Structures are given as structure tokens and as C-alpha cells.
Amino acid sequence: MSQSEFVRTMVQAGRKGLEPVTAEPESPGSNPGGNGLETRVLELLSADTYSWDELLEAVSDDIESRLDETLEQLQADNRIRYSGRHGGYTTTGDGDSDGN
């Protein structure tokens, strides 16, 4: 995973929030995505000691699972499909403004 992919993954994780644990209202501030990643890291470290690689794996597993579930659901809804010709996932064209 490149550094830019890692940063993008972590930003997305922060925006989605890994596991909301508080009922505090979201406030517009310097962290609009909330503290989901911070909360998850603190939960992990409260139980054990982790290296950088172990922490990355622990928080990435959730991202991979959610991505897999999302891709499956989008395919089931016929909104995306896997295209070998395009080398990856693509929209089906339903509601896609550029016609892909």
C-alpha cells in the first residue's frame, strides 16, 4: 500500500467513524469526521501493546470488511460491476452522468 493510499484509507475511516461510542452531538470543527479512528486505537491499546504494523492491520481489517460488504451490496443493487476489460470495478451506467 502506497503512502497516499494509506492516507486516503485513514481519512475515509475517520470520516465514517469506526465505531461510534458516544452520544455527543457532532460539532463542526477541525475534525469533521469525528474521532472514530482515535477511539478505535485507544480501545486497542487499552487491552494490549501493538506495533505500528499491528495497529495498521487491526484498523485496516475493519476497512477491508466494510469495503467488501459495500461492493457486494452495490453489485447486488446492480449499481456497479467488476470489469476485467477496465481492470476493476465500474459503474453500470444507471444514473451515471458520463455514461460509463
Side-chain angles (χ1 to χ4, degrees):
M1 176 181 283
S2 71
Q3 185 176 10
S4 63
E5 289 172 318
F6 170 75
V7 170
R8 183 176 52 241
T9 301
M10 293 300 109
V11 168
Q12 289 173 348
R15 285 186 181 148
K16 291 181 182 179
L18 294 175
E19 295 178 341
V21 293
T22 64
E24 295 177 14
E26 295 181 15
S27 62
S30 62
N31 190 2
N35 293 321
L37 181 59
E38 180 179 314
T39 301
R40 179 71 177 130
V41 168
L42 290 172
E43 287 173 354
L44 288 166
L45 294 176
S46 69
D48 204 353
T49 302
Y50 288 79
S51 69
W52 167 264
D53 290 334
E54 291 168 333
L55 280 171
L56 181 58
E57 183 178 337
V59 298
S60 297
D61 283 345
D62 185 53
I63 300 297
E64 290 177 25
S65 297
R66 290 187 350 197
L67 176 59
D68 187 48
E69 291 171 10
T70 300
L71 290 173
E72 286 179 13
Q73 184 61 50
L74 288 170
Q75 288 181 82
D77 294 344
N78 199 31
R79 295 176 62 194
I80 67 169
R81 63 183 168 81
Y82 183 81
S83 171
R85 185 173 132 192
H86 291 103
Y89 291 93
T90 186
T91 59
T92 59
D94 298 337
D96 187 13
S97 61
D98 66 1
N100 284 339

